Amino acid sequence: MKYYIETFGCQMNVHDSEKISGIMKSGGHTSASAPAEADILIFNTCCIREKAEQKFFSRLGRLKSLKKRNPGLKIVVAGCIAQQEKGAVFQRAPYVDYVVGPQNIHVIKELDGIGPHYTACEDNPLIADTEYQTDRADSVKAWVTIMYGCDNYCSYCVVPYTRGREISRPAVKILEEVERLAQDGVKEITFLGQNVNSYMSDINFPALLKKANEIDGIRRIRFVTSHPKDLSNELIRAISNLDKVCEHIHLPLQSGSSRVLRLMNRKYTYDDYLKKIKLLRSALPDIAITTDIIAGFPGETGEDHAATLRAIEEIGFDGMFAFKYSPRPETAASRLEGHLDEEVQSERLYEIIDIQNLITDTKNRRLKGSSQEILVEAVIEGREGPILHGRTRTNKIVVCHQPADTDRLIPPGDIVDITVTKTARHSLAGIVRQ
Ligand code: SF4
């Protein structure tokens, strides 16, 4: 049978879709190039914000007609909406056949013939020991899940309810996966988890980084996401001392107001956060720091918002994902008083984005003329010859031409030094240094 996967949401879902594809292929299924060609349509969904949920249901509605044309078509709703809504998905969309939570994706290849309206959303205590056959989209870079779930219960976040309690994969299994990826030619791995800083099996996260750093063939190591409360001095030393661990950290601040951080149940104050930034920058002066900010959290005053703007200026992030607060079912924040009008939220969001844009522009402009190491991720044929697409160690996107006076074509997976010749907000341009 042919399957088609549509993915909504974060890196975790993108990687889960690679696993779902691997699971389907191991069950003898093949991938379809468009929904209309599929016998099984799989939606890997996200419910982190209300908008993401609406986007999915409107897409689902648009594809309903495919089922009319092909009554044999099976529709699977997987991912976070599946876990959050469970059987309620069938009430909203009776033409859906199966609802499968993130801990149960292994059942997807066996669903045909079961049903109708089958739900698999139970806790899976074996998830950390399950080895998934993964159908990876990229041959240069790879995601590696090191842990599942989250125990932090930030008051706005639905993840602990959709992805379950935090559980770490055994280090030996992770390192075997990295070894296999290295043998397949992968150059960069990104360790993935809701809060990788609290990874703990028989070893902790800095020790895992150290062991991964020793694997031949892997040239770069990244990780996402970090919770500021668990960013230890030992981890900062590991980032600083291990040559393959890249100088970039995504460290969600969420708010510059300690009062709001308390309402968010983030378990750090703004001062705690700032101290960690200072430690990071004293160990790694050129580290890039990116963050997440929530605009208009319930009860956020004008003064709280001003504190966030001051924090953004004081820290000078390299980049940011900023969103309006969106109430999510079951979360503590949805029950808080003082929900703000969308208009106020939007105004605050624009102010946040405006300040960050100025900072990003200034920071990127300073890179003009600098030398950067890039990992070439793709080579695309342009009008004036092949164009290299890659990233710096600090995770900035770079586009540059192959050197004109060389016959050697630089392939994806190569690491080259470039000089930055032009900068923009979201990318740099450069020339390869000979
Ligand atoms: S750390 Fe907080 S924001 Fe991140 S996944 Fe866990 S509960 Fe959600």
Side-chain angles (χ1 to χ4, degrees):
M1 290 182 110
K2 285 194 161 190
Y3 67 91
Y4 186 86
I5 305 174
E6 271 198 24
T7 307
F8 299 77
C10 65
Q11 305 97 326
M12 201 74 73
N13 267 16
V14 173
H15 186 40
D16 277 356
S17 288
E18 292 182 330
K19 290 178 189 166
I20 293 171
S21 184
I23 289 166
M24 293 302 284
K25 284 190 174 159
S26 74
H29 305 291
T30 52
S31 74
S33 54
E37 288 168 19
D39 308 298
I40 308 172
L41 202 48
I42 304 165
F43 293 94
N44 193 9
T45 61
C46 167
C47 60
I48 199 86
R49 277 173 283 278
E50 205 179 341
K51 263 215 173 115
E53 210 173 312
Q54 286 164 354
K55 195 171 151 196
F56 157 66
F57 277 108
S58 99
R59 176 70 178 149
L60 184 63
R62 286 204 303 281
L63 290 186
K64 183 178 155 188
S65 59
L66 291 179
K67 190 126 181 171
K68 280 202 185 128
R69 265 185 269 152
N70 173 11
L73 174 71
K74 299 290 180 207
I75 297 183
V76 184
V77 175
C80 292
I81 292 180
Q83 192 65 34
Q84 183 183 267
E85 301 290 322
K86 303 186 180 73
V89 171
F90 301 128
Q91 283 156 26
R92 200 161 165 179
Y95 47 92
V96 168
D97 296 278
Y98 311 117
V99 171
V100 178
Q103 296 198 21
N104 292 276
I105 53 174
H106 56 280
V107 306
I108 288 183
K109 68 177 176 189
E110 291 144 11
L111 286 177
D112 191 36
I114 299 176
H117 286 183
Y118 174 81
T119 308
C121 296
E122 302 76 36
D123 283 349
N124 174 5
L126 300 177
I127 192 164
D129 294 306
T130 306
E131 293 301 302
Y132 292 101
Q133 221 172 52
T134 307
D135 183 25
R136 295 179 187 275
D138 196 314
S139 57
V140 174
K141 305 189 302 178
W143 305 105
V144 177
T145 304
I146 64 166
M147 61 204 297
Y148 295 93
C150 182
D151 279 350
N152 288 305
Y153 290 94
C154 299
S155 67
Y156 51 84
C157 182
V158 78
V159 165
Y161 309 98
T162 58
R163 290 192 172 262
R165 303 304 301 263
E166 184 175 297
I167 179 162
S168 296
R169 280 180 74 197
V172 61
K173 294 287 177 198
I174 296 168
L175 295 165
E176 279 170 13
E177 184 175 344
V178 177
E179 293 265 11
R180 282 196 302 274
L181 289 167
Q183 282 158 18
D184 290 345
V186 166
K187 301 293 184 228
E188 178 181 300
I189 52 155
T190 302
F191 284 145
L192 199 56
Q194 300 296 344
N195 176 18
V196 291
N197 297 175
S198 64
Y199 172 86
M200 182 57 79
S201 60
D202 51 324
I203 58 174
N204 66 7
F205 186 54
L208 182 71
L209 287 176
K210 188 159 180 275
K211 286 192 180 282
N213 199 67
E214 288 161 8
I215 295 177
D216 286 342
I218 296 298
R219 304 286 299 275
R220 288 180 170 189
I221 301 170
R222 301 185 186 276
F223 53 89
V224 71
T225 283
S226 295
H227 195 305
K229 76 175 168 55
D230 296 313
L231 177 64
S232 64
N233 291 353
E234 188 190 0
L235 178 54
I236 295 174
R237 274 198 302 278
I239 305 170
S240 155
N241 294 339
L242 299 172
D243 60 322
K244 295 178 186 174
V245 178
C246 290
E247 295 80 17
H248 168 235
I249 189 163
H250 186 72
L251 198 63
L253 169 63
Q254 308 298 13
S255 171
S257 156
S258 296
R259 193 185 75 82
V260 173
L261 288 171
R262 206 169 48 248
L263 290 173
M264 290 176 167
N265 192 30
R266 290 290 285 173
K267 304 184 186 88
Y268 55 85
T269 63
Y270 176 61
D271 284 346
D272 298 334
Y273 185 93
L274 194 58
K275 270 186 209 141
K276 303 226 169 168
I277 295 291
K278 286 181 177 160
L279 283 172
L280 275 166
R281 285 188 169 146
S282 72
L284 295 129
D286 293 327
I287 191 167
I289 301 171
T290 53
T291 200
D292 297 333
I293 297 282
I294 296 173
F297 190 75
E300 183 189 80
T301 62
E303 179 43 44
D304 294 321
H305 170 61
T308 298
L309 298 180
R310 281 197 301 277
I312 294 167
E313 282 191 298
E314 180 169 25
I315 292 167
F317 294 105
D318 289 75
M320 175 191 289
F321 296 107
F323 298 97
K324 286 183 270 192
Y325 166 75
S326 171
R328 301 285 64 216
E330 292 190 69
T331 59
S334 67
R335 297 188 291 274
L336 283 175
E337 295 196 342
H339 284 247
L340 303 183
D341 288 348
E342 189 155 6
E343 207 177 311
V344 176
Q345 288 187 309
S346 297
E347 264 170 38
R348 292 183 182 177
L349 178 66
Y350 289 133
E351 284 177 20
I352 287 166
I353 291 172
D354 283 350
I355 292 196
Q356 182 56 45
N357 282 346
L358 286 174
I359 295 169
T360 306
D361 290 347
T362 310
K363 288 199 130 191
N364 283 356
R365 266 199 303 273
R366 280 194 211 126
L367 294 175
K368 192 166 172 187
S370 71
S371 171
Q372 301 287 333
E373 178 203 285
I374 72 159
L375 170 64
V376 179
E377 294 171 5
V379 180
I380 291 162
E381 205 49 52
R383 260 183 306 175
E384 291 161 33
I387 300 170
L388 312 179
H389 290 246
R391 278 176 198 257
T392 64
R393 287 179 62 95
T394 51
N395 211 30
K396 301 202 189 259
I397 295 169
V398 179
V399 177
C400 56
H401 283 280
Q402 293 257 11
D405 51 350
T406 171
D407 292 336
R408 190 184 92 83
L409 288 180
I410 299 171
D414 263 23
I415 288 191
V416 292
D417 288 326
I418 63 137
T419 303
V420 177
T421 52
K422 241 162 98 185
T423 68
R425 186 168 299 153
H426 300 297
S427 65
L428 309 175
I431 49 169
V432 177
R433 291 157 73 99
Q434 300 285 357

